[in-house]
Amino acid sequence: MSETVDGPRGSDADADLLEEELRQAAAVLDPLPPALLQIAVDAYALHDLDTKVAELTFDSLVDAVPVRGAEGPPRMLTFSAGEVTVDVEVTAHGLMGQLMPPQPARIEVLGGPRPGSSLTADEMGRFTAAPPSGPFALRLRTAGDVIETEWLRT
């Protein structure tokens, strides 16, 4: 029986070499799409311990009573994080929202692999943005907090 000082045939060095060869083959045959890499980088940015995740407390698609004859009603969303509440209305024309209690904030509309839009909420906490074309989340920077909503589909 053939054994080495490190143990039986097939040492850790051989396994590491095989793993590296497989990684190189995968990189050539099935490369990581740049958009997926950007999504992973954006998700990693959530590791910031100062960021509060806003809980979705109301979604009109789930919680509201349907209105007869209303065609394409706006989607109403409410997020809560501690003392801050964010109400958002989503329509085909755009996003409209307000922070409660009213306060200015810097807001990023995150939209997957493409760069998000950046806007500012006024002193009353109101903001508007173009309609998202796919899944989106909001990142709000107030005077004291960084708050991020969960991702939603339009």
Side-chain angles (χ1 to χ4, degrees):
M1 186 161 147
S2 171
E3 288 193 358
T4 63
V5 176
D6 294 329
R9 195 178 288 167
S11 69
D12 289 342
D14 291 338
D16 292 343
L17 181 62
L18 176 61
E19 182 179 354
E20 183 57 33
E21 288 176 2
L22 290 172
R23 284 182 192 276
Q24 290 175 3
V28 170
L29 298 174
D30 189 18
L32 182 65
L36 184 59
L37 178 61
Q38 185 60 48
I39 290 171
V41 169
D42 290 344
Y44 179 75
L46 287 177
H47 81 282
D48 185 0
L49 296 177
D50 293 335
T51 299
K52 294 180 181 178
V53 177
E55 177 185 357
L56 180 64
T57 57
F58 177 82
D59 184 344
S60 62
L61 288 181
V62 177
D63 302 318
V65 176
V67 177
R68 185 174 175 191
E71 195 171 312
R75 184 175 182 186
M76 307 300 288
L77 304 164
T78 301
F79 299 95
S80 296
E83 300 296 318
V84 178
T85 300
V86 183
D87 291 316
V88 180
E89 179 179 310
V90 183
T91 68
H93 304 292
L95 295 176
M96 289 190 309
Q98 183 171 17
L99 283 77
M100 296 303 274
Q103 58 190 295
R106 191 88 185 119
I107 301 169
E108 294 174 76
V109 181
L110 308 174
R114 62 194 173 284
S117 61
S118 191
L119 50 127
T120 303
D122 64 15
E123 295 79 27
M124 296 299 295
R126 300 172 298 198
F127 61 92
T128 60
S133 60
F136 74 98
L138 301 174
R139 182 179 297 139
L140 303 99
R141 298 178 191 279
T142 65
D145 294 316
V146 177
I147 300 169
E148 188 157 325
T149 69
E150 63 184 80
W151 285 82
L152 295 167
R153 293 191 181 279
T154 54

